Amino acid sequence: VRVVESGGALVQPGGSLRLSCGASGLTFSIYAGSWYRQAPGKERELVASISSTGGSTTYGDSVKGRFTISRDNGKNTLYLQMNSLKPEDTALYLCNLARTGSYWGQGTQVTVSS
């Protein structure tokens, strides 16, 4: 199983980014998908989750109204659209796919700074 995140970058406050998480070696469409983030010295935080079909989503309070999680099961890819970025969104963003097992990527760095 391979899970690879991409799309992280340095962006100014108020900017936008779209993260992608590609997966192979598993039946992507039966896995729930989540984005987590971890900033230095802080605990890992759940950012957003989406059901296997994409019909249900949940968000952490700190990103509600700014971030949108989505997926394309035909492309085996999970997305996180991030708008109105703030410096406190700076973190390593990690993708997780879960069913009976759980798979993680290595993460992609997002830095929000002027």
Side-chain angles (χ1 to χ4, degrees), residues 57-72:
T57 58
T58 59
Y59 295 92
D61 288 342
S62 61
V63 306
K64 280 180 183 176
R66 299 188 298 123
F67 291 10
T68 303
I69 189 170
S70 62
R71 65 190 296 158
D72 185 336

Side-chain angles (χ1 to χ4, degrees), residues 23 27-30 52-53 70-79:
T27 305
F28 180 81
S29 62
I30 65 173
S52 58
T53 63
S70 62
R71 65 190 296 158
D72 185 336
N73 285 346
K75 295 183 177 179
N76 286 9
T77 303
L78 186 70
Y79 301 101

Side-chain angles (χ1 to χ4, degrees), residues 97-114:
L97 301 175
R99 184 171 164 83
T100 53
S102 179
Y103 299 100
W104 292 89
Q106 293 298 308
T108 186
Q109 179 66 38
V110 173
T111 302
V112 184
S113 176
S114 54

Side-chain angles (χ1 to χ4, degrees), residues 11-16 84-87 111-114:
V11 62
Q12 291 189 342
S16 297
S84 302
L85 283 161
K86 304 175 181 180
T111 302
V112 184
S113 176
S114 54

Side-chain angles (χ1 to χ4, degrees), residues 30-45:
I30 65 173
Y31 282 78
S34 298
W35 286 96
Y36 287 77
R37 66 187 181 187
Q38 187 154 23
K42 295 187 178 181
E43 292 188 357
R44 188 169 291 186
E45 174 189 12

